[in-house]
Amino acid sequence: MSEIILASASPRRRELLANMGLSFSVVVSEADESAVPPEVPPYIYVQELALIKAAASAKKVLANKEAVIIAADTIVVNDGKIMGKPADREEAFRMLKSLSGKTHQVYTGYCVMSIANAYTVCGRECTEVRFRELTDEKIQRYIETGEPMDKAGAYGIQGLGAMLVEGINGDYFNVVGLPVGALARTLENDFGFRLI
C-alpha cells in the first residue's frame, strides 16, 4: 500500500487532498524556486516548479520505498506576466488594481512521484478568472484583512477574495491550489489508486 506524502505547507492543499478521501503525511519541500527562469511559458514554469518540489521532498524520504510524493505550484498570469505572492501591501495593491475588471489565468502545475521506481507524472491545469471592477477603496479594505499577503496574485478565491470574482472558466479547485480532477485521474490511471 502506497503512502502519500504531500510536498506542501499549504493548508488549502492539505484540505483538498483530505477531501479526496486520501490519508497522507506532509514533508515540506525546501526547493530552490529560483531555479526555473520566469521567462519560460507559464504552463512549463508551474510544472517545473512542481517537479523541483517533488524531487526536493523525495530526497528526505528515499528510505520509504512505499512513498508517493504529490507536489504542486500555483501562479496567477495577467497580461502574460507571472504574479507570485505580494512582497508587501503596496505590491498587493498594484496586483489587485491590475486584475480589476479583467480576465486572468491561474495555472497549477502538479507532480506525482513514486519513490520505489522514480516513476513521475507531471501535469498542469489552467482556469480563467474574471474580476469585477474594483474601486481603490475596496482593494484597500481587502488588503487590510491580511488575506492577500500569502497568495499568488494577492487574492484567495476560497475566502473573502471570492467577492472580487465575477466568474471563472475551468476548475475552481485549480484556483484554490490543486486541480482535484486532474490529480485524481493521474493517481488512478498512472499509480493504481482507487479513489471512488
Side-chain angles (χ1 to χ4, degrees):
M1 182 73 173
S2 298
E3 177 194 341
I4 294 177
I5 294 174
L6 176 63
S8 175
S10 164
R12 294 165 292 282
R13 290 194 184 111
R14 287 199 301 266
E15 183 180 351
L16 290 173
L17 210 54
N19 287 347
M20 291 172 70
L22 296 168
S23 59
F24 59 93
S25 55
V26 174
V27 175
V28 177
S29 165
E30 292 166 11
D32 176 14
E33 296 190 19
S34 67
V36 182
E39 307 84 55
V40 301
Y43 59 89
I44 294 175
Y45 182 84
V46 289
Q47 285 187 161
E48 286 292 317
L49 279 179
L51 178 58
I52 288 170
K53 288 179 176 182
S57 289
K59 287 179 185 174
K60 297 179 177 182
V61 297
L62 280 176
N64 182 357
K65 299 302 181 195
E66 299 299 314
V68 172
I69 311 282
I70 297 174
D73 192 80
T74 301
I75 57 171
V76 169
V77 178
N78 186 35
D79 292 331
K81 296 187 180 81
I82 295 173
M83 302 172 84
K85 297 174 184 176
D88 52 35
R89 288 171 171 244
E90 289 75 24
E91 187 176 19
F93 182 88
R94 286 193 301 273
M95 286 181 173
L96 291 165
K97 185 81 171 168
S98 74
L99 296 174
S100 174
K102 291 169 50 183
T103 298
H104 62 274
Q105 295 75 42
V106 178
Y107 289 88
T108 298
Y110 65 93
C111 191
V112 183
M113 177 183 292
S114 169
I115 295 297
N117 57 11
Y119 182 60
T120 304
V121 176
C122 297
R124 86 278 183 169
E125 285 288 310
C126 178
T127 302
E128 291 188 331
V129 180
R130 176 154 186 84
F131 260 34
R132 296 168 46 201
E133 291 281 354
L134 306 176
T135 63
D136 289 0
E137 181 186 5
K138 184 175 285 296
I139 292 171
Q140 289 291 4
R141 284 201 310 267
Y142 180 55
I143 291 170
E144 285 168 16
T145 70
E147 186 177 272
M149 301 315 298
D150 68 337
K151 295 176 181 65
Y155 75 96
I157 197 169
Q158 73 286 350
L160 296 170
M163 292 183 276
L164 310 178
V165 175
E166 190 172 275
I168 71 167
N169 181 20
D171 182 350
Y172 165 81
F173 297 109
N174 183 55
V175 185
V176 178
L178 198 65
V180 172
L183 176 61
R185 287 190 298 276
T186 297
L187 290 171
E188 290 172 335
N189 298 342
D190 297 295
F191 292 86
F193 282 86
R194 294 184 66 185
L195 299 178
I196 55 169

